[in-house]
Amino acid sequence: MGSSQFKSFLKCEAATLAELSGEYKKETSTALLVGSYVDAHFEGTLDIFKAQHPEIFTKQGNLKSEYSKANYMIERAERDEFFMNMMSGEKQKIFVGEIAGVPFKIKVDSFHETSIVDLKTVKDFESVWNPEKQKREHFIDYWGYTLQGAIYREIVRQNTGKTLPFY
């Protein structure tokens, strides 16, 4: 189990089981691909990502505008010393553990001996409408990143003996 899969089960067990069995395939959104593009840059695999995702290019072979904006995000992030320090840890470090008898596997974007860093990209910092709760929420709450952080902290604690902050 991973944190995304766990959050998916919380949202709809039937849909998650259908996805796991291959009966249903979730469409990849542009927003998800943009986030994966930025992730690939910071883990050093952007050329592979581009080769695996021809849909990010126009017919003329140029990056679509969303990915040009992603390049701007990357350039801006690289000018921020604090951000780059946070991203300087061990990339894509895998940990395994167990929560409530369920095996979990996590992949930390940037692991430091003193912190856990997970890269997120967002269109903006505006709150997001949650139709289930009938109110606007901070994107961190809406997308369940606090739950992801709790899972990561526990699995890392099981592996290192340290309860580290999650950024």
Side-chain angles (χ1 to χ4, degrees):
M1 178 83 65
S3 67
S4 295
Q5 188 178 64
F6 183 76
K7 290 187 290 185
S8 182
F9 270 113
L10 290 175
K11 188 173 184 178
C12 180
E13 293 173 12
T16 306
L17 287 172
E19 192 173 351
L20 288 171
S21 71
E23 294 174 46
Y24 169 75
K25 183 167 174 30
K26 197 183 313 182
E27 286 188 34
T28 302
S29 69
T30 299
L32 185 61
L33 272 178
V34 167
S36 296
Y37 181 96
V38 174
D39 271 341
H41 170 79
F42 284 105
E43 68 184 49
T45 60
L46 187 54
D47 289 339
I48 295 168
F49 180 86
K50 286 178 177 180
Q52 293 173 338
H53 295 280
E55 67 271 26
I56 71 173
F57 295 97
T58 65
K59 290 179 183 176
Q60 294 76 29
N62 300 317
L63 278 175
K64 290 182 177 176
S65 64
E66 297 90 343
Y67 306 96
S68 292
K69 289 177 188 172
N71 279 335
Y72 172 77
M73 293 166 60
I74 291 165
E75 290 166 10
R76 174 60 188 94
E78 287 180 335
R79 292 192 311 262
D80 187 302
E81 186 178 337
F82 178 76
F83 177 87
M84 292 307 293
N85 183 50
M86 295 300 282
M87 291 305 297
S88 70
E90 187 176 345
K91 306 286 189 273
Q92 302 301 315
K93 180 144 176 85
I94 294 174
F95 293 96
V96 294
E98 189 176 289
I99 299 174
V102 177
F104 271 81
K105 177 181 177 182
I106 64 168
K107 187 169 24 168
V108 178
D109 289 335
S110 181
F111 178 74
H112 299 260
E113 293 297 320
T114 58
S115 62
I116 303 162
V117 180
D118 190 69
L119 179 62
K120 299 293 182 209
T121 58
V122 293
K123 178 177 74 171
D124 57 45
F125 294 101
E126 296 296 319
S127 59
V128 179
W129 177 254
N130 183 331
E132 293 171 8
K133 295 182 180 178
Q134 292 291 299
K135 69 176 188 173
R136 297 189 75 74
E137 293 182 316
H138 192 285
F139 76 91
I140 289 174
D141 298 321
Y142 180 78
W143 293 108
Y145 297 142
T146 50
L147 179 58
Q148 178 185 351
I151 291 168
Y152 277 38
R153 291 182 80 201
E154 173 56 20
I155 299 303
V156 168
R157 183 200 63 76
Q158 290 176 20
N159 284 266
T160 66
K162 300 176 191 172
T163 304
L164 301 176
F166 176 82
Y167 296 101

